[in-house]
Amino acid sequence: MAEETPAFQQIYTFNALPDKTFTFQQDSHTAGLLMKWGMCGRISTQAFNFDQTFQSYKKNDFALNFFQDPCVKNSLKTLDASGVWKPLGSDITRVDVEDVPCSKVSVDIFDPILSSGIVRPSGHIVKCFHEVHPDFDQLRMMLLEQESENYHVVSRSDRQEFLFRLFKHVVLGGELCQYEDIISPYIEAAKKIYKDLVSVQKDSDTKEIRVVSTILKVFAYDEHGLCYPCGQDSEQTFAYLCIDPFKRHVYVLYHSYGVSLFSQSVK
């Protein structure tokens, strides 16, 4: 009987799952919001499977294997400078990996925002003055300005959570973002995307629901430098690998900041 490959020798092989659908992509209301927020045509979600047991302490090797895999190289979507979708194509030599906390199983993380004066009891976001940005509001002030009196209403640890990051991404949107007057569309959109990408399981002992996915924020480099998710660094250009260790699936959430391509459907 052949011996199992030691963990340090594992090389993952990946296959695309083109028939995998994501609820938020199929939902016309969410698609309409992404268009309004300037993200439509610049956001993509793809699914792949892999053939080895995922071990979180090997996340860096996993990410490098992912980007160097021939299937991924030929099928992972990226936007070029002209706004055209194309395969990754690059020979990746290095991947920077950030382990993103992901433990939330409810939207309670947003309660401090709802009770701190950022949002009125009606759900309307409070407007405010900003020296640079016209038509600014307290929500974006809290998200962006560390000097804001409300910056610390959400704890540093909760700000790092994947659910909160998704919320921040949809609030800030794309280059031509039309901002919401009320907060609920942002929360609902973040929740739908999160549920699509994150797997949970009931603990057999405590009966509590817990997240089993590992989330990695990734930056990939070829011989010329940073090439994925984009050649230029921007907070609203991002790529996350959402790994389900039991299904052996990895979901890729990608967004490239820029002018939304309104003629394209959400990828």
Side-chain angles (χ1 to χ4, degrees), residues 20-25 30 34 37 43 45 100-110 157-170 185-201 209-216 238 240-244 247 251-253:
K20 167 65 180 176
T21 59
F22 297 89
T23 303
F24 83 90
Q25 293 176 308
T30 305
L34 291 172
W37 299 334
I43 191 167
T45 313
V100 178
C102 185
S103 63
K104 301 301 180 183
V105 293
S106 75
V107 293
D108 293 350
I109 193 172
F110 303 117
S157 60
D158 278 351
R159 279 178 173 267
Q160 296 304 310
E161 282 279 340
F162 186 46
L163 178 57
F164 192 84
R165 293 186 189 214
L166 291 176
F167 172 76
K168 183 177 180 180
H169 286 318
V170 296
Y186 294 134
I187 294 176
E188 288 304 314
K191 179 181 175 182
K192 284 184 179 180
I193 299 170
Y194 187 79
K195 289 181 70 175
D196 267 344
L197 300 177
V198 172
S199 299
V200 297
Q201 206 175 63
I209 302 297
R210 63 182 181 88
V211 172
V212 296
S213 296
T214 294
I215 311 297
L216 306 177
F238 54 81
Y240 296 98
L241 304 185
C242 308
I243 304 161
D244 184 325
K247 291 182 180 179
Y251 306 138
V252 184
L253 178 66

Side-chain angles (χ1 to χ4, degrees), residues 35 40-42 83 85 259-267:
M35 179 176 289
C40 185
R42 303 194 68 88
W85 288 98
V259 178
S260 177
L261 306 180
F262 294 102
S263 61
Q264 295 188 22
S265 59
V266 179
K267 298 291 181 179

Side-chain angles (χ1 to χ4, degrees), residues 92-131:
I92 300 303
T93 58
R94 181 181 119 223
V95 181
D96 288 346
V97 175
E98 178 187 353
D99 199 347
V100 178
C102 185
S103 63
K104 301 301 180 183
V105 293
S106 75
V107 293
D108 293 350
I109 193 172
F110 303 117
D111 287 352
I113 297 175
L114 303 177
S115 60
S116 60
I118 296 171
V119 179
R120 302 189 192 282
S122 63
H124 285 77
I125 301 165
V126 176
K127 302 293 183 181
C128 66
F129 171 78
H130 193 279
E131 293 181 352

Side-chain angles (χ1 to χ4, degrees), residues 115-151:
S115 60
S116 60
I118 296 171
V119 179
R120 302 189 192 282
S122 63
H124 285 77
I125 301 165
V126 176
K127 302 293 183 181
C128 66
F129 171 78
H130 193 279
E131 293 181 352
V132 177
H133 305 287
D135 191 30
F136 212 57
D137 58 53
Q138 290 287 357
L139 178 59
R140 280 177 286 157
M141 183 77 80
M142 182 274 295
L143 292 173
L144 295 171
E145 304 288 346
Q146 293 192 32
E147 295 77 17
S148 165
E149 61 180 335
N150 289 318
Y151 185 82

